[in-house]
Amino acid sequence: MRAAAAAVIALAALFAAACSTGRESSGPIPQIAEATAQRDVVDGVAKLSSTVTIKLDRSFKPAQGKVPFASYFELEVPNIRGNTTRVLVSKAEIGANSRTITLTVNALIADGSTLKIDRRAFNADSSGQLTAKVSSDLPEPYVYLASLTLHVTDPAIVGGEAIAPVKPEDRDPTAMRAALATHLKARGSGDDVTAAALARYDAIAPNIVPSPKLRAALAALTGTFAEPAIDYYLTNQNCTGRPAAAILFQLPPDAPQLLARVTFDSARTRTISVNPFAEGERLELLMPVLAH
């Protein structure tokens, strides 16, 4: 009997060894409850990188894989060409409660991007991917504008006649309000957009934006994809958490050749300097400067 029992135990051990893969299984694979992305800000300066936070519906233990944990994650980010760009992850960290994962990404992540997680991150024997839409603080056009420097490609813009002269109406609040209304009508804005833009023009504080032309150009962004720029400048809804100190025509500090420049004071408050040579230009030419 003892010999038979020993044989059974040995056989059971043999089967157990044969079935073992040597890799941990962490139980049921968690599902993605939420994925959010936020542009990184260091010392008040916005960077071209993002932090993505993933919330899962349960805690987990990572599978014992042969590749770095970050290799199991990637993102598909919509781009200006109408398709998507594949973005890899440089670092992935598991939260203390084992229900969150923080990704470090050396790119800006647009709202509506797709997060993909290889299921082998949770179970080495699994296959396929988990996917989820990412909620981001940056709409797609803002990612494009923030990721490159604008360059003039038409020589006619910088060649030929001298800078447009400043006219008395450029500094007349009533004339600039009328110019704003004319611009809105010319681009086919509806009554609601027109009313909202004019109300914004009236509400912009002259002590922050002294030039009525700049106030009109900023208000003219109402109803466009760049409308969030208005709140970005005038409220705390931006990477600094505070409104701009001033938006005005003055030579950009330390770079008088630039069209415009954002600078920060000791409290990390922004000043947006637009080169005075642009003061005589049309609203339509000032709008993209403020949107960018």
Side-chain angles (χ1 to χ4, degrees):
M1 288 292 292
R2 289 181 180 176
V8 171
I9 292 172
L11 187 61
L14 180 63
F15 277 118
C19 293
S20 174
T21 63
R23 293 179 289 187
E24 281 190 34
S25 174
S26 55
I29 292 177
Q31 300 300 305
I32 303 171
E34 181 182 79
T36 58
Q38 188 166 20
R39 185 178 188 179
D40 294 332
V41 178
V42 178
D43 295 330
V45 178
K47 300 295 183 179
L48 295 179
S49 61
S50 304
T51 298
V52 178
T53 302
I54 305 168
K55 294 183 179 180
L56 304 171
D57 65 350
R58 61 173 65 91
S59 58
F60 74 97
K61 291 182 179 179
Q64 300 299 311
K66 296 181 179 180
V67 298
F69 189 56
S71 300
Y72 294 115
F73 304 84
E74 66 177 67
L75 296 109
E76 283 188 357
V77 180
N79 58 47
I80 199 69
R81 296 181 296 275
N83 48 34
T84 59
T85 301
R86 183 187 183 208
V87 175
L88 302 180
V89 173
S90 61
K91 188 177 181 181
E93 297 180 309
I94 301 171
N97 61 2
S98 297
R99 295 186 64 172
T100 61
I101 303 172
T102 302
L103 307 180
T104 300
V105 184
N106 294 324
L108 298 181
I109 306 302
D111 188 53
S113 298
T114 300
L115 169 70
K116 296 182 178 181
I117 307 177
D118 193 318
R119 293 164 66 95
R120 289 177 299 174
F122 310 110
N123 188 312
D125 296 321
S126 188
S127 61
Q129 293 178 319
L130 302 176
T131 62
K133 288 296 181 183
V134 179
S135 174
S136 171
D137 59 342
L138 288 175
E140 178 189 336
Y142 275 39
V143 169
Y144 179 71
L145 290 174
S147 299
L148 78 166
T149 302
L150 297 182
H151 299 276
V152 175
T153 57
D154 183 356
I157 294 176
V158 294
E161 292 297 322
I163 298 164
V166 179
K167 302 175 289 296
E169 52 265 35
D170 292 327
R171 297 175 178 175
D172 184 331
T174 302
M176 282 298 98
R177 194 180 195 277
L180 172 60
T182 299
H183 162 79
L184 294 166
K185 182 178 180 180
R187 82 182 195 204
S189 299
D191 292 342
D192 54 341
V193 172
T194 298
L198 292 173
R200 270 179 164 152
Y201 173 81
D202 295 335
I204 296 174
N207 64 317
I208 295 177
V209 189
S211 166
K213 175 167 272 191
L214 285 179
R215 296 201 297 272
L218 193 57
L221 298 179
T222 304
T224 72
F225 78 86
E227 183 174 358
I230 302 172
D231 286 339
Y232 182 85
Y233 287 127
L234 302 178
T235 72
N236 60 1
Q237 298 177 34
N238 57 74
C239 59
T240 68
R242 64 189 70 189
I247 305 171
L248 72 169
F249 285 116
Q250 68 175 10
L251 287 177
D254 302 319
Q257 76 282 3
L258 293 181
L259 176 57
R261 188 181 189 189
V262 179
T263 53
F264 298 81
D265 62 18
S266 59
R268 307 307 301 170
T269 302
R270 298 162 297 157
T271 293
I272 295 83
S273 304
V274 181
N275 203 306
F277 69 60
E279 187 175 1
E281 300 294 347
R282 304 192 315 272
L283 294 181
E284 293 84 353
L285 298 180
L286 292 172
M287 288 169 61
V289 174
L290 295 175
H292 185 255

